[in-house]
Amino acid sequence: MHLSKSDSTSITNLQVFCYTSEEEEDEAQCNDALNTTVGKEKTADEEALKESAVCAESQDEEHVAPEDPQSFLGQWEDPEEDQTHPSVASFQSEPTRKKISFAQLVKEGRRFNIDLVSKLMFSRGSLVELLIKSNVSRYAEFKNVTRILTYHHGNVEQVPCSRADVFASRQLSVVEKRKLMRFLTSCMEETEEQQAYYSRPYLEFLHDQHLGDNLQHFLLHSIAMASPDTPTGEGLASTRHFLRCLGRYGNTPFLFPVYGLGEIPQCFCRMSAVFGGVYCLRHSVQCLIVDKDTNRCKAVVDSRGQRINCSHFVMEDGYLVGDRKKMDTSLRFLSRAVLITDASVLPGESDQQVSMVTVPSTDGSPTVRMVELCSSTMTCIPGTYLVHLTCQSVGSAHDDLSPVISRMFQTTKPDNHDQRPFVFWCLYFNMADGTALEVEGHDLPSNVYVCSGPDGNLGFERTIELAELIFKKMLPEEEFCPPAPNPEDIIYDGEPPSSTGGEEEQEGPADQEEQHEPEPLN
Amino acid sequence: MHGRVKVKTTAQQEEEKRKEREKKLKIYVAARDACFAKRKEEIFDDEALQLTQQLLSSNPDFATLWNYRREILLHLETVKDENEVQKIYEAELSFLESCLKVNPKSYGSWHHRGWVSARLPRPDWARELGLCDRCLSLDDRNFHCWDYRRMVVKVSGVSVEQELGFTDRLICSNFSNYSSWHYRSTLLPLLHPECPEQASPHREPPLSPPPHSPQTHFHRVCEEQLLKEYELVQNAVFTDPNDQSAWFYYRWLLGRAEREEMISCVYVSREQERVAVTFSRPVHALSVGLLLVLDGQPQRVEWRSVHPHFKHSPVLICDLPPGTIHDTTNEHNLTVHWTEKHNHRECALYTGRTESWCRDTATDQELFRSELSVEKTSVLQSELLSINQLQELEPLNKWCLLTIILLMRALDPLGYEKETLAHFQTLKEVDPKRSAYYSDLCSKFMIENTILKMEYAEVRVFSISDQNLTTLCHLDQLLLVTHINLSSNRLQRLPPQFAMLQCLEVFEADNNSIKSLEGVYCLPKLEEISLKNNKISTLADLQPLASCPKLTHLDLRGNPITQTAGVESELAKLLPSVTDLQL
């Protein structure tokens, strides 16, 4: 049985823009009068597209060593250099904002860790619980998301969600503070009043609580992260989840792994390796050897022609050839954009803020979720911010997200009077939304399992659920991610840890589980 | 999981742990004994430092070892040069940090840190403040750390501004923190003192510039800053009206400075040849230091409290030498000096008059607004508006109700009397556990209102009946009152303070639950008492009345004592002056 070579549907519409000058500007250049600045667009060629797809998906088949993040920047370095680069105008009369040239970005490329997927961990979500339960958490460090922001009436505002936030908020009147606190306290308990609204829109419920426009906006878009037509039952459930997650690790409900989401699969890999998990790097599986009688996959053949025996095989749906795939719903896509900027969308006392920003939909444009990472998350260099934008696709990523970006950021010449952050570099792409995939019902050997790519949700709930589901199908008797023993309690008696000996087979539960982790490494 | 087969069993782990513990204990005991032996021999060497360090890092509450360590360090100070001493103490500080990590609330560690910091030749106070900030961010109620921090601030002279900023930070991260609010209340009067010209005439302007240490406070805060503070507190109480720390701070903000110490009234009676003096605060008769000058002649008099059980009293009395002012054809001038406070009050007794006084009334002194400062009415009015707004949202919040009452009293005690009483009623219902407190507070306010009304009418009659009074207070303000009616209240006793009513002639307190008459003691002018329907049950309860020389009318109808056999003859014996006794 052959596998699809690469999933061309996974990443599409790739576009890269660079708005900063290529070379470092020297003083002489700065003194030049206004250079006309033109943001040159560059659509990546087919090759780059393929490369990126491989890079994004290859880990599903084999555990790629954390790929040098530079590859993402580096990839387009050469084509960019062929272009005439726009130079950036500066005003000599005023202290200009610190600019970083493209060359500098490329030079420091190693220090950017750009995730293809943008997610946050709910501090009482299933991923956090799993990391704690399995002791995998010891391999990673996390940062609190420090602020919840929202785009409201053309401004970026901080959403007060904890008691301390409400107290310190300058935008809310004291009466609003009381109403908000009262609502947040009262919605934790189910009431008959809520029941009456259950299937009606949450917005209607909020409206009838006489909270006022500000609070309604905060509660609907930033706390429930719902849309105006979300039913009350669902809205209340997500509000409660948000509130339960508050205060566990900080003043917001979210955590973000230092060095990016790519760390998470890596942590599971490390745990697995301690107990004998083996990884074949830079091998991809070409085809499966299936026993016709038993309808089981006996082995795989990799890209170098090597046969590797296996008792279970897990793969991402992109490797399934079309006729074996069962798709009930039409394929859905996410629109993504990644920016490197020079400032936060809401400068605060500290420049080390990790912000979750909700941009509600306007006139049919999709609701955009934005995560702004500062340099202490180790995903970008000091003086820059890495901004991820995500929404459900309506059109191409550029169509969906560029209006939001041009509203909230400046992409032309940096203007000191313009408080908006300047975009040095920007990447648009569309990717398949994993929520569309059916896990069961494909025409496959009995020991071959399909998992979906990343979904568009903010949390990891679905990912963990899917991983556990597949694990249970493979090994119904085993506990999913049991607590790993403390290192001092392990007896090293020289016996090889894996029952399959030297064979490069991925069989251990920890290893298998590892395979389903759909986060990209970089 | 593959690893599982190779994991030690629980029993194995337990056994290992037990052995580990045993081993540890052995080492610990051996080290302890070694330390004690060394100390006995007064050996102050590095080894001893090592040993104590080893022990203290596992048990930082071993005070003897800290003492030994200090002895060693003091010894080392004498034999090493300054740089070496600096190094030794710096090492000590980092050792202490590791101890605090183990137990951030160890008395021994914090005390030792204070000691080391004070002896360090070149202390790094910024680092110490940083340490305190870290500790407080982990636990903002670690009072050891607060204490240590106060010491550091004092010694290193951190500016008051910085410290105020520090409280800002703490309050913003969690406003349920009494320590921060309190600290703020000590800093504000230093940083933003009330300007003397703003002060009302009855308040003393600051005599000297505020000291540059945030340790003490006396003065009020200037109005501009007060407004900012009101805003801050409102943010807290609207965010969480059930958190009392902010409400207490609010009450402090609304409160005013201590009143000026003064003699507020001098009363002289020709007939008794007695002088009574009222002070702005209770004083002790033996230590107060008073000088009485009569017609230019200092007099030797003996000041005493009005009641033997009541040592610190706002009213003192003394008897003049017999015959000095007895003759009504003479005019006298009397001055009482409160020497230590440089305060005095004069009183002239004119020809033909039997008594005379000189005083500031409660109204003059704005005495009953003292619970709250007399800010500009507009400020208090807007505060009342916002707290009323909160009350609409939280109708049953006790802090809110209580604050409204206080604001109303500051604004217009008589005008808001009806609303105040209604709020007290709600308070008692929503907070029944403190209903007695609210009753007492309400009694106090009703008495204040009655005093104001009495002064306005310029009479010496004090009548407050059917008002559910549970307690008596401000009796020093009733020194000149001749007639009192306290009928139909819920009073249970007449406290020793009652003896301050030196001019009282007629006293009615029917329909109460009075059991004790302790305070009806040596009232020189008291002639008539009506105590119908009270709880007086024994002869002993009536004993104090025997000290009132002029008592002639006594009405005890409806008291349990009337049921006692032979009570009439007993009473005749006890109170021979009473001619009209009703039983």
Side-chain angles (χ1 to χ4, degrees), chain B residues 158-205:
Chain B
V158 178
S159 76
V160 181
E161 285 93 337
Q162 277 173 303
E163 286 303 279
L164 197 68
F166 166 73
T167 65
D168 276 337
R169 284 202 307 282
L170 285 189
I171 288 168
C172 267
S173 69
N174 177 11
F175 63 82
S176 315
N177 188 333
Y178 286 102
S179 309
S180 314
W181 289 113
H182 170 74
Y183 195 28
R184 206 173 169 79
S185 76
T186 66
L187 298 170
L188 281 174
L190 299 177
L191 197 57
H192 304 283
E194 184 178 50
C195 307
E197 58 268 29
Q198 276 184 340
S200 91
H202 293 287
R203 266 175 274 155
E204 213 172 350

Short mmCIF file of all heavy atoms in Angstrom, two decimals, chain B residues 158-205:
data_model
loop_
_atom_site.label_atom_id
_atom_site.label_comp_id
_atom_site.label_asym_id
_atom_site.label_seq_id
_atom_site.Cartn_x
_atom_site.Cartn_y
_atom_site.Cartn_z
N VAL B 158 15.28 54.55 52.58
CA VAL B 158 14.51 54.54 51.33
C VAL B 158 13.50 55.68 51.39
O VAL B 158 12.91 55.94 52.44
CB VAL B 158 13.76 53.20 51.19
CG1 VAL B 158 12.92 53.20 49.92
CG2 VAL B 158 14.74 52.05 51.15
N SER B 159 13.32 56.36 50.27
CA SER B 159 12.44 57.54 50.31
C SER B 159 10.99 57.10 50.46
O SER B 159 10.60 56.00 50.05
CB SER B 159 12.60 58.35 49.04
OG SER B 159 11.93 57.71 47.98
N VAL B 160 10.22 58.00 51.05
CA VAL B 160 8.80 57.71 51.26
C VAL B 160 8.08 57.49 49.94
O VAL B 160 7.22 56.62 49.83
CB VAL B 160 8.16 58.87 52.05
CG1 VAL B 160 6.70 58.58 52.32
CG2 VAL B 160 8.88 59.08 53.37
N GLU B 161 8.48 58.27 48.90
CA GLU B 161 7.87 58.10 47.58
C GLU B 161 8.02 56.68 47.09
O GLU B 161 7.08 56.06 46.61
CB GLU B 161 8.53 59.03 46.54
CG GLU B 161 8.15 60.47 46.63
CD GLU B 161 9.13 61.25 47.49
OE1 GLU B 161 9.82 60.60 48.35
OE2 GLU B 161 9.22 62.47 47.35
N GLN B 162 9.25 56.17 47.21
CA GLN B 162 9.51 54.81 46.73
C GLN B 162 8.65 53.80 47.48
O GLN B 162 8.14 52.86 46.91
CB GLN B 162 10.98 54.46 46.92
CG GLN B 162 11.87 54.96 45.82
CD GLN B 162 13.32 54.71 46.15
OE1 GLN B 162 13.80 55.15 47.19
NE2 GLN B 162 14.00 54.00 45.29
N GLU B 163 8.54 54.03 48.78
CA GLU B 163 7.77 53.10 49.59
C GLU B 163 6.30 53.15 49.23
O GLU B 163 5.62 52.12 49.21
CB GLU B 163 7.97 53.40 51.09
CG GLU B 163 9.32 52.97 51.58
CD GLU B 163 9.56 51.49 51.34
OE1 GLU B 163 9.10 50.66 52.12
OE2 GLU B 163 10.22 51.18 50.33
N LEU B 164 5.82 54.35 48.91
CA LEU B 164 4.42 54.46 48.49
C LEU B 164 4.22 53.70 47.18
O LEU B 164 3.23 53.00 47.00
CB LEU B 164 4.03 55.92 48.34
CG LEU B 164 2.52 56.17 48.30
CD1 LEU B 164 1.89 55.86 49.64
CD2 LEU B 164 2.23 57.62 47.93
N GLY B 165 5.20 53.82 46.28
CA GLY B 165 5.15 53.08 45.03
C GLY B 165 5.13 51.57 45.27
O GLY B 165 4.43 50.82 44.59
N PHE B 166 5.87 51.18 46.29
CA PHE B 166 5.91 49.76 46.67
C PHE B 166 4.51 49.28 47.11
O PHE B 166 4.05 48.22 46.69
CB PHE B 166 6.95 49.60 47.78
CG PHE B 166 6.90 48.31 48.53
CD1 PHE B 166 7.32 47.13 47.95
CD2 PHE B 166 6.43 48.27 49.83
CE1 PHE B 166 7.28 45.94 48.65
CE2 PHE B 166 6.38 47.09 50.54
CZ PHE B 166 6.80 45.92 49.94
N THR B 167 3.84 50.09 47.91
CA THR B 167 2.48 49.68 48.33
C THR B 167 1.54 49.68 47.13
O THR B 167 0.67 48.83 47.04
CB THR B 167 1.90 50.59 49.43
OG1 THR B 167 1.71 51.90 48.91
CG2 THR B 167 2.77 50.65 50.65
N ASP B 168 1.74 50.63 46.20
CA ASP B 168 0.94 50.62 44.97
C ASP B 168 1.03 49.28 44.28
O ASP B 168 0.03 48.69 43.90
CB ASP B 168 1.45 51.69 43.98
CG ASP B 168 0.89 53.06 44.27
OD1 ASP B 168 -0.18 53.13 44.89
OD2 ASP B 168 1.51 54.06 43.88
N ARG B 169 2.28 48.81 44.15
CA ARG B 169 2.50 47.55 43.43
C ARG B 169 1.80 46.40 44.15
O ARG B 169 1.12 45.59 43.55
CB ARG B 169 3.99 47.24 43.33
CG ARG B 169 4.73 48.07 42.30
CD ARG B 169 6.00 47.36 41.88
NE ARG B 169 6.87 46.98 42.97
CZ ARG B 169 7.67 47.81 43.62
NH1 ARG B 169 7.72 49.08 43.27
NH2 ARG B 169 8.44 47.39 44.61
N LEU B 170 1.99 46.34 45.47
CA LEU B 170 1.41 45.23 46.22
C LEU B 170 -0.11 45.26 46.16
O LEU B 170 -0.75 44.23 46.00
CB LEU B 170 1.85 45.29 47.69
CG LEU B 170 3.28 44.86 47.97
CD1 LEU B 170 3.51 44.77 49.46
CD2 LEU B 170 3.60 43.52 47.33
N ILE B 171 -0.67 46.46 46.30
CA ILE B 171 -2.12 46.56 46.31
C ILE B 171 -2.68 46.20 44.94
O ILE B 171 -3.72 45.56 44.82
CB ILE B 171 -2.56 47.97 46.77
CG1 ILE B 171 -2.29 48.11 48.26
CG2 ILE B 171 -4.03 48.21 46.48
CD1 ILE B 171 -2.40 49.51 48.80
N CYS B 172 -1.96 46.59 43.88
CA CYS B 172 -2.44 46.24 42.55
C CYS B 172 -2.42 44.74 42.31
O CYS B 172 -3.28 44.21 41.62
CB CYS B 172 -1.60 46.94 41.48
SG CYS B 172 -2.33 48.48 41.01
N SER B 173 -1.45 44.06 42.87
CA SER B 173 -1.41 42.62 42.60
C SER B 173 -2.41 41.88 43.48
O SER B 173 -2.92 40.84 43.10
CB SER B 173 0.00 42.07 42.77
OG SER B 173 0.36 42.11 44.12
N ASN B 174 -2.70 42.40 44.66
CA ASN B 174 -3.74 41.79 45.48
C ASN B 174 -4.14 42.78 46.56
O ASN B 174 -3.38 43.06 47.47
CB ASN B 174 -3.22 40.50 46.13
CG ASN B 174 -4.26 39.88 47.04
OD1 ASN B 174 -5.42 40.27 47.03
ND2 ASN B 174 -3.85 38.92 47.84
N PHE B 175 -5.35 43.31 46.42
CA PHE B 175 -5.71 44.37 47.35
C PHE B 175 -6.20 43.85 48.70
O PHE B 175 -6.42 44.63 49.61
CB PHE B 175 -6.70 45.36 46.73
CG PHE B 175 -8.03 44.79 46.34
CD1 PHE B 175 -9.03 44.63 47.28
CD2 PHE B 175 -8.29 44.44 45.03
CE1 PHE B 175 -10.27 44.11 46.92
CE2 PHE B 175 -9.52 43.91 44.66
CZ PHE B 175 -10.50 43.75 45.60
N SER B 176 -6.40 42.54 48.85
CA SER B 176 -6.77 42.03 50.18
C SER B 176 -5.51 41.89 51.01
O SER B 176 -5.04 40.78 51.22
CB SER B 176 -7.39 40.65 50.11
OG SER B 176 -8.29 40.58 49.11
N ASN B 177 -4.96 42.99 51.40
CA ASN B 177 -3.69 42.90 52.11
C ASN B 177 -3.63 44.04 53.12
O ASN B 177 -3.29 45.17 52.80
CB ASN B 177 -2.54 42.99 51.11
CG ASN B 177 -1.22 42.71 51.74
OD1 ASN B 177 -1.02 42.93 52.94
ND2 ASN B 177 -0.27 42.22 50.97
N TYR B 178 -3.94 43.72 54.36
CA TYR B 178 -3.95 44.73 55.41
C TYR B 178 -2.58 45.38 55.55
O TYR B 178 -2.48 46.58 55.77
CB TYR B 178 -4.31 44.10 56.75
CG TYR B 178 -5.75 43.75 56.90
CD1 TYR B 178 -6.17 42.44 56.76
CD2 TYR B 178 -6.69 44.72 57.19
CE1 TYR B 178 -7.50 42.11 56.89
CE2 TYR B 178 -8.02 44.40 57.32
CZ TYR B 178 -8.43 43.09 57.17
OH TYR B 178 -9.74 42.77 57.31
N SER B 179 -1.52 44.58 55.45
CA SER B 179 -0.18 45.11 55.64
C SER B 179 0.09 46.26 54.68
O SER B 179 0.60 47.30 55.08
CB SER B 179 0.86 44.02 55.42
OG SER B 179 0.56 42.89 56.18
N SER B 180 -0.27 46.07 53.42
CA SER B 180 0.00 47.11 52.43
C SER B 180 -0.84 48.36 52.69
O SER B 180 -0.33 49.46 52.62
CB SER B 180 -0.31 46.62 51.02
OG SER B 180 0.22 45.37 50.82
N TRP B 181 -2.12 48.13 52.95
CA TRP B 181 -2.99 49.29 53.21
C TRP B 181 -2.50 50.04 54.44
O TRP B 181 -2.44 51.26 54.45
CB TRP B 181 -4.43 48.86 53.43
CG TRP B 181 -5.16 48.37 52.22
CD1 TRP B 181 -5.60 47.10 52.00
CD2 TRP B 181 -5.58 49.12 51.06
NE1 TRP B 181 -6.25 47.01 50.80
CE2 TRP B 181 -6.26 48.24 50.20
CE3 TRP B 181 -5.45 50.46 50.68
CZ2 TRP B 181 -6.80 48.63 48.98
CZ3 TRP B 181 -5.99 50.86 49.47
CH2 TRP B 181 -6.65 49.96 48.63
N HIS B 182 -2.15 49.29 55.46
CA HIS B 182 -1.70 49.96 56.69
C HIS B 182 -0.42 50.75 56.43
O HIS B 182 -0.29 51.89 56.86
CB HIS B 182 -1.47 48.96 57.81
CG HIS B 182 -0.79 49.57 58.98
ND1 HIS B 182 -1.43 50.42 59.85
CD2 HIS B 182 0.50 49.53 59.40
CE1 HIS B 182 -0.58 50.86 60.75
NE2 HIS B 182 0.59 50.34 60.50
N TYR B 183 0.49 50.11 55.73
CA TYR B 183 1.76 50.76 55.44
C TYR B 183 1.50 52.07 54.70
O TYR B 183 2.09 53.11 54.98
CB TYR B 183 2.65 49.83 54.62
CG TYR B 183 4.10 50.24 54.56
CD1 TYR B 183 4.69 50.95 55.59
CD2 TYR B 183 4.88 49.89 53.47
CE1 TYR B 183 6.01 51.32 55.54
CE2 TYR B 183 6.21 50.25 53.41
CZ TYR B 183 6.77 50.97 54.44
OH TYR B 183 8.09 51.33 54.39
N ARG B 184 0.57 52.00 53.76
CA ARG B 184 0.18 53.18 53.00
C ARG B 184 -0.32 54.29 53.93
O ARG B 184 0.01 55.46 53.75
CB ARG B 184 -0.95 52.77 52.05
CG ARG B 184 -1.06 53.59 50.85
CD ARG B 184 -2.07 53.02 49.88
NE ARG B 184 -2.29 54.02 48.86
CZ ARG B 184 -1.47 54.24 47.85
NH1 ARG B 184 -0.40 53.51 47.70
NH2 ARG B 184 -1.71 55.19 46.98
N SER B 185 -1.09 53.89 54.93
CA SER B 185 -1.64 54.90 55.83
C SER B 185 -0.55 55.56 56.67
O SER B 185 -0.72 56.67 57.15
CB SER B 185 -2.71 54.28 56.74
OG SER B 185 -2.10 53.51 57.74
N THR B 186 0.57 54.89 56.84
CA THR B 186 1.66 55.53 57.57
C THR B 186 2.49 56.43 56.65
O THR B 186 3.14 57.35 57.11
CB THR B 186 2.61 54.49 58.21
OG1 THR B 186 3.28 53.78 57.18
CG2 THR B 186 1.88 53.53 59.11
N LEU B 187 2.47 56.15 55.36
CA LEU B 187 3.32 56.89 54.42
C LEU B 187 2.66 58.18 53.93
O LEU B 187 3.31 59.21 53.80
CB LEU B 187 3.64 56.02 53.20
CG LEU B 187 4.42 54.74 53.48
CD1 LEU B 187 4.44 53.86 52.25
CD2 LEU B 187 5.84 55.06 53.92
N LEU B 188 1.37 58.10 53.66
CA LEU B 188 0.68 59.24 53.05
C LEU B 188 0.81 60.54 53.84
O LEU B 188 1.11 61.58 53.27
CB LEU B 188 -0.79 58.90 52.82
CG LEU B 188 -1.06 58.04 51.59
CD1 LEU B 188 -2.51 57.64 51.55
CD2 LEU B 188 -0.68 58.78 50.33
N PRO B 189 0.59 60.50 55.17
CA PRO B 189 0.69 61.77 55.90
C PRO B 189 2.10 62.36 55.84
O PRO B 189 2.27 63.56 56.00
CB PRO B 189 0.33 61.39 57.32
CG PRO B 189 -0.41 60.11 57.20
CD PRO B 189 0.19 59.41 56.04
N LEU B 190 3.10 61.53 55.59
CA LEU B 190 4.46 62.06 55.48
C LEU B 190 4.70 62.69 54.12
O LEU B 190 5.35 63.72 53.99
CB LEU B 190 5.47 60.92 55.67
CG LEU B 190 5.42 60.21 57.01
CD1 LEU B 190 6.42 59.08 57.03
CD2 LEU B 190 5.72 61.18 58.13
N LEU B 191 4.15 62.04 53.11
CA LEU B 191 4.42 62.48 51.75
C LEU B 191 3.49 63.61 51.33
O LEU B 191 3.89 64.52 50.62
CB LEU B 191 4.24 61.28 50.81
CG LEU B 191 4.86 61.42 49.44
CD1 LEU B 191 6.33 61.71 49.54
CD2 LEU B 191 4.62 60.14 48.64
N HIS B 192 2.26 63.52 51.75
CA HIS B 192 1.28 64.54 51.37
C HIS B 192 0.60 65.09 52.61
O HIS B 192 -0.58 64.88 52.81
CB HIS B 192 0.21 63.93 50.45
CG HIS B 192 0.77 63.29 49.24
ND1 HIS B 192 1.23 64.01 48.16
CD2 HIS B 192 0.98 61.99 48.92
CE1 HIS B 192 1.66 63.18 47.24
NE2 HIS B 192 1.54 61.96 47.68
N PRO B 193 1.34 65.80 53.47
CA PRO B 193 0.71 66.27 54.69
C PRO B 193 -0.31 67.36 54.37
O PRO B 193 -0.19 68.06 53.38
CB PRO B 193 1.87 66.84 55.50
CG PRO B 193 2.90 67.16 54.50
CD PRO B 193 2.74 66.21 53.36
N GLU B 194 -1.28 67.43 55.23
CA GLU B 194 -2.30 68.46 55.07
C GLU B 194 -1.65 69.83 55.28
O GLU B 194 -0.87 70.01 56.21
CB GLU B 194 -3.36 68.24 56.13
CG GLU B 194 -4.51 69.17 56.02
CD GLU B 194 -5.53 68.84 57.09
OE1 GLU B 194 -5.13 68.73 58.25
OE2 GLU B 194 -6.71 68.70 56.75
N CYS B 195 -1.97 70.75 54.39
CA CYS B 195 -1.38 72.08 54.55
C CYS B 195 -2.03 72.75 55.76
O CYS B 195 -3.23 72.62 55.96
CB CYS B 195 -1.65 72.92 53.31
SG CYS B 195 -1.12 72.11 51.83
N PRO B 196 -1.25 73.50 56.54
CA PRO B 196 -1.78 74.11 57.75
C PRO B 196 -2.98 75.01 57.46
O PRO B 196 -3.93 75.02 58.22
CB PRO B 196 -0.62 74.93 58.30
CG PRO B 196 0.60 74.36 57.67
CD PRO B 196 0.17 73.75 56.37
N GLU B 197 -2.95 75.74 56.33
CA GLU B 197 -4.05 76.68 56.09
C GLU B 197 -5.34 75.94 55.76
O GLU B 197 -6.42 76.48 55.88
CB GLU B 197 -3.70 77.67 54.96
CG GLU B 197 -3.35 77.04 53.64
CD GLU B 197 -1.84 76.83 53.54
OE1 GLU B 197 -1.19 76.65 54.59
OE2 GLU B 197 -1.32 76.87 52.43
N GLN B 198 -5.18 74.67 55.33
CA GLN B 198 -6.38 73.89 55.04
C GLN B 198 -7.01 73.37 56.32
O GLN B 198 -8.18 73.07 56.36
CB GLN B 198 -6.02 72.69 54.18
CG GLN B 198 -5.96 73.01 52.70
CD GLN B 198 -5.70 71.77 51.90
OE1 GLN B 198 -5.23 70.77 52.44
NE2 GLN B 198 -6.02 71.82 50.65
N ALA B 199 -6.19 73.25 57.33
CA ALA B 199 -6.66 72.62 58.55
C ALA B 199 -7.75 73.47 59.19
O ALA B 199 -7.72 74.69 59.11
CB ALA B 199 -5.52 72.45 59.52
N SER B 200 -8.68 72.83 59.79
CA SER B 200 -9.72 73.57 60.47
C SER B 200 -9.11 74.17 61.74
O SER B 200 -8.12 73.66 62.25
CB SER B 200 -10.88 72.66 60.83
OG SER B 200 -10.69 72.12 62.10
N PRO B 201 -9.66 75.25 62.26
CA PRO B 201 -9.03 75.95 63.38
C PRO B 201 -8.85 75.07 64.62
O PRO B 201 -8.01 75.36 65.45
CB PRO B 201 -10.01 77.10 63.65
CG PRO B 201 -11.25 76.79 62.89
CD PRO B 201 -10.85 75.93 61.77
N HIS B 202 -9.61 74.01 64.70
CA HIS B 202 -9.49 73.18 65.90
C HIS B 202 -8.39 72.15 65.80
O HIS B 202 -8.15 71.40 66.71
CB HIS B 202 -10.82 72.49 66.19
CG HIS B 202 -11.86 73.49 66.59
ND1 HIS B 202 -11.83 74.11 67.81
CD2 HIS B 202 -12.91 73.99 65.91
CE1 HIS B 202 -12.85 74.95 67.86
NE2 HIS B 202 -13.52 74.90 66.73
N ARG B 203 -7.79 72.09 64.63
CA ARG B 203 -6.73 71.11 64.52
C ARG B 203 -5.39 71.80 64.51
O ARG B 203 -5.23 72.87 63.94
CB ARG B 203 -6.91 70.28 63.25
CG ARG B 203 -7.69 69.02 63.54
CD ARG B 203 -7.97 68.28 62.30
NE ARG B 203 -9.19 68.80 61.69
CZ ARG B 203 -9.46 68.70 60.41
NH1 ARG B 203 -8.59 68.14 59.61
NH2 ARG B 203 -10.58 69.16 59.93
N GLU B 204 -4.48 71.16 65.13
CA GLU B 204 -3.16 71.74 65.27
C GLU B 204 -2.41 71.61 63.96
O GLU B 204 -2.34 70.53 63.39
CB GLU B 204 -2.41 70.96 66.34
CG GLU B 204 -1.48 71.79 67.13
CD GLU B 204 -0.93 70.98 68.30
OE1 GLU B 204 -1.42 69.88 68.55
OE2 GLU B 204 -0.01 71.48 68.91
N PRO B 205 -1.85 72.70 63.45
CA PRO B 205 -1.03 72.55 62.25
C PRO B 205 0.26 71.81 62.60
O PRO B 205 0.71 71.84 63.75
CB PRO B 205 -0.74 74.00 61.85
CG PRO B 205 -0.91 74.80 63.09
CD PRO B 205 -1.88 74.07 63.96
#
